[in-house]
Amino acid sequence: MRPERLHHVYNVRDPQIEGPVVYWMGRERRVADNPSLLYARSLALERNVELHIVFCLVPTFLDATIRQYGFMLRGLEEVDRDLRELGLGLRMLLGTPDAVLIPFLHEVRPSIVITDFEPLRIKRLWLSQVTEALPCPIAVVDSHNIVPVTVASPKQEYAAATLRPKLRRLLDDWYDDMGEGSDAPWTGRRSQIPAVNWSTVWSSLRVDTSVAEVDWLSPGEKGAKGALQKFLRRLETYAEGRNDPTLHAQSDLSPYLHFGQISAGRIVREVRTLTASDPKLSASSEAFLEELIVRRELADNFTHYNDRYDSFDGLPSWAQQTLDEHRSDRRDYLYTPDQWEAASTHDELWNAAQHEMIRTGKMHGYMRMYWAKKILEWSASPEEAMATAIYLNDKYELDGRDPNGYVGVAWSIGGLHDRPWFERPVYGKIRYMNAAGCARKFDVKAYIRSQSSNALFSR
Ligand code: FAD
Ligand code: FO1
């Protein structure tokens, strides 16, 4: 692993090489293509010490429901099985890091803790609590971004246009550094890792069970690889079809990426290999890699450098100013939280998108922009609109509470990474979208029909 993938090393003043290496798995819940795991393995081998891999399962996490927890836990069960086959294993620590991880670390006295880079505030808080309480170094590895966030740019970028050239310059140097070999059989010091009692794990959850799990995609690393293979077979349709919600041209990889069940590096590698053998895929491949690399890494850039990533005051100043100037504009409609959630607006297209999200856990990407912009148009204030969009997104989307989600909301409602457009009521200079624009891109009636509550859902 290249040393610059190490995002930070804390507590370097107390180095010791005696105790085991602990990998505190966070965002990257996979055995293959995992630079954090690879690094932890190489240190444990080099020092000839045991390697402990732990996951800290909190009973509630930013209002996640059983839909998201189920996807995550089923994936972790597979991680545990796969690690055991290699001669390793997973320890599930049930509770918040300060309550369960810190005592565990005091007990095993590691020489070093390796963990995943995570930009969200709650994860930074956990990291600082553990760092303060820990008498050993803790190293944070960016295993999510192909070009690590801090290498790509030292500051918050204005837009994709400013980050893209930086990534382009660096990508080829970095994309071979995505943890290949992290799933090799373990040849280092063995330790007794107690079997995980998964029924105790499941019953430790304190989450909303009213939002059902979905079964149209299988969680876990194998499910992710299967979804990638299916997508590669329809890659050719991506360039033309990705903005049409009546087609199935998008990859459906966001839930797997969110839960770290597949590495972006692996996806890039497979897309590039396939495209090299079939040049007619190049337009789709380019369009897809723009989303997967530039847009996704731009979202980590924003959440890492701007800790107000989910609020009005994190928006660009031109956007705050224009939205402020339009605060008292008359709204044609105003909806209560219950009306939004129940998809009871006057707009069949908006309702269809909301139904798609509630039912499948994944609203089409094009509809997400329309959906969020209409929440701005029919809410009393931009703050209320952002809060509504984040609440609904994170409650129902499988890929919710992700940097991509906070950025998607801030782009749609608050002009983030965008430029000022023509001024109009409520939106000010924020880019506008309407149903007529959608009708020019796709068959709106067919989409509405496909999402009506009686329609059979198929993917
Ligand atoms: P594909 O089109 O196949 O793209 C492949 C991958 O590229 C995605 O999995 C994702 O990692 C990345 N990507 C695609 N579009 C974007 C984008 N606009 N910004 C950043 N990365 C992107 N994405 C989430 O992962 N979680 C969310 O909670 C989320 N909420 C959103 C809310 C709003 C209001 C908006 C406008 C966008 C949101 N997005 C979110 C971004 C985007 O819509 C989804 O990533 C995409 O639709 C996921 O489907 P896919 O994997 O099939 O996408
Ligand atoms: N991260 C953890 O370390 N422990 C958890 O118990 C946990 C639960 C969880 C539930 C739903 C969800 O969407 C995310 C969850 N995360 C958890 C965090 C997640 O893996 C990512 O780190 C962040 O959402 C950022 O992408």
Side-chain angles (χ1 to χ4, degrees):
M1 191 191 75
R2 293 181 59 164
E4 304 98 304
R5 200 172 279 290
L6 270 187
H7 174 76
H8 258 308
V9 186
Y10 299 93
N11 292 345
V12 272
R13 65 192 178 281
D14 294 323
Q16 45 162 17
I17 53 165
E18 293 279 294
V21 172
V22 170
Y23 170 32
W24 169 23
M25 181 181 272
R27 196 186 196 188
E28 314 302 334
R29 302 178 185 93
R30 62 181 179 277
V31 182
D33 306 308
N34 183 339
S36 311
L37 174 59
L38 186 68
Y39 183 54
R41 288 175 59 126
S42 69
L43 284 181
L45 263 183
E46 193 180 292
R47 297 173 181 192
N48 190 26
V49 295
E50 291 176 357
L51 170 61
H52 297 305
I53 303 169
V54 302
F55 185 82
C56 214
L57 180 76
V58 291
T60 57
F61 185 81
L62 302 176
D63 294 331
T65 68
I66 195 65
R67 172 173 290 176
Q68 295 94 11
Y69 264 97
F71 199 86
M72 179 177 81
L73 280 187
R74 292 177 203 286
L76 282 168
E77 290 189 27
E78 187 182 328
V79 166
D80 181 37
R81 279 195 302 275
D82 291 349
L83 284 174
R84 274 172 213 275
E85 270 177 30
L86 300 180
L88 290 160
L90 182 67
R91 280 167 208 261
M92 293 293 292
L93 302 178
L94 308 182
T96 52
D98 57 337
V100 293
L101 180 65
I102 293 172
F104 171 79
L105 295 173
H106 281 301
E107 189 190 316
V108 302
R109 303 167 135 272
S111 52
I112 186 165
V113 175
I114 312 297
T115 195
D116 303 322
F117 162 69
E118 308 237 21
L120 298 194
R121 283 189 303 271
I122 182 167
K123 292 296 190 109
R124 291 191 216 184
L125 172 70
W126 291 359
L127 179 64
S128 69
Q129 289 169 337
V130 174
T131 307
E132 266 166 40
L134 200 66
C136 80
I138 176 159
V140 180
V141 181
D142 185 347
S143 300
H144 183 80
N145 296 288
I146 298 181
V147 181
V149 162
T150 47
V151 173
S153 170
K155 61 176 175 62
Q156 183 185 322
E157 291 292 332
Y158 289 104
T162 61
L163 183 63
R164 190 179 302 112
K166 296 180 179 168
L167 292 178
R168 285 226 166 116
R169 258 197 315 277
L170 293 162
L171 258 178
D172 282 338
D173 293 343
W174 281 92
Y175 108 102
D176 278 336
D177 186 61
M178 286 300 283
E180 218 175 325
S182 60
D183 54 352
W186 177 239
T187 54
R189 280 267 281 268
R190 297 269 176 150
S191 55
Q192 277 302 324
I193 297 154
V196 178
N197 182 337
W198 284 101
S199 65
T200 311
V201 169
W202 282 87
S203 53
S204 72
L205 300 183
R206 296 288 170 267
V207 300
D208 178 354
T209 52
S210 68
V211 183
E213 289 188 66
V214 296
D215 60 8
W216 61 271
L217 81 180
S218 322
E221 276 188 91
K222 286 191 192 70
K225 283 183 190 139
L228 174 58
Q229 292 313 316
K230 278 196 205 155
F231 172 61
L232 292 176
R233 291 198 282 278
R234 60 175 193 275
L235 176 61
E236 195 179 345
T237 64
Y238 190 82
E240 292 278 306
R242 76 200 145 110
N243 285 331
D244 184 339
T246 67
L247 302 178
H248 185 205
Q250 287 193 284
S251 67
D252 287 339
L253 289 170
S254 57
Y256 299 108
L257 285 160
H258 170 68
F259 286 108
Q261 296 172 352
I262 194 164
S263 128
R266 168 65 46 192
I267 303 173
V268 175
R269 187 179 299 264
E270 302 227 359
V271 167
R272 281 188 170 183
T273 307
L274 187 67
T275 309
S277 66
D278 187 353
K280 70 175 183 308
L281 295 178
S282 57
S284 281
S285 168
E286 202 177 308
F288 175 71
L289 295 180
E290 165 72 15
E291 303 297 335
L292 178 74
I293 304 175
V294 179
R295 294 286 163 178
R296 204 178 57 97
E297 305 211 354
L298 185 62
D300 257 36
N301 168 281
F302 178 65
T303 42
H304 176 62
Y305 289 115
N306 188 330
D307 67 1
R308 309 292 296 148
Y309 53 77
D310 50 357
S311 50
F312 182 79
D313 35 329
L315 301 177
S317 48
W318 70 263
Q320 292 191 36
Q321 191 186 332
T322 193
L323 287 167
D324 277 340
E325 284 163 7
H326 289 269
R327 278 185 187 277
S328 45
D329 292 359
R330 192 180 68 83
R331 271 73 174 155
D332 290 341
Y333 302 91
L334 282 175
Y335 293 107
T336 63
D338 287 349
Q339 286 171 314
W340 288 120
E341 192 154 2
S344 310
T345 76
H346 66 285
D347 178 13
E348 281 187 296
L349 182 55
W350 193 93
N351 297 346
Q354 173 74 5
H355 277 303
E356 180 179 32
M357 179 174 71
I358 291 179
R359 192 161 40 162
T360 69
K362 189 166 179 290
M363 189 193 299
H364 188 277
Y366 190 78
M367 292 312 302
R368 294 191 198 202
M369 298 185 275
Y370 177 82
W371 173 88
K373 283 183 180 291
K374 294 296 149 186
I375 297 179
L376 169 65
E377 194 173 327
W378 304 322
S379 291
S381 69
E383 287 85 352
E384 190 182 305
M386 284 183 81
T388 302
I390 291 172
Y391 166 78
L392 294 174
N393 189 79
D394 289 359
K395 180 165 179 183
Y396 294 103
E397 300 281 24
L398 272 170
D399 58 21
R401 64 193 67 64
D402 189 278
N404 291 349
Y406 299 116
V407 166
V409 168
W411 180 89
S412 310
I413 294 177
L416 177 71
H417 301 147
D418 205 356
R419 63 173 173 84
W421 291 73
F422 302 112
E423 193 144 10
R424 54 185 312 131
V426 183
Y427 287 76
K429 293 178 182 159
I430 304 295
R431 184 195 294 249
Y432 177 66
M433 269 175 91
N434 66 5
C438 293
R440 283 194 292 276
K441 288 210 177 269
F442 63 91
D443 183 346
V444 166
K445 289 209 171 98
Y447 175 69
I448 293 171
R449 265 197 315 276
S450 72
Q451 300 307 328
S452 75
S453 37
N454 296 325
L456 274 181
F457 168 62
S458 66
R459 253 204 173 100

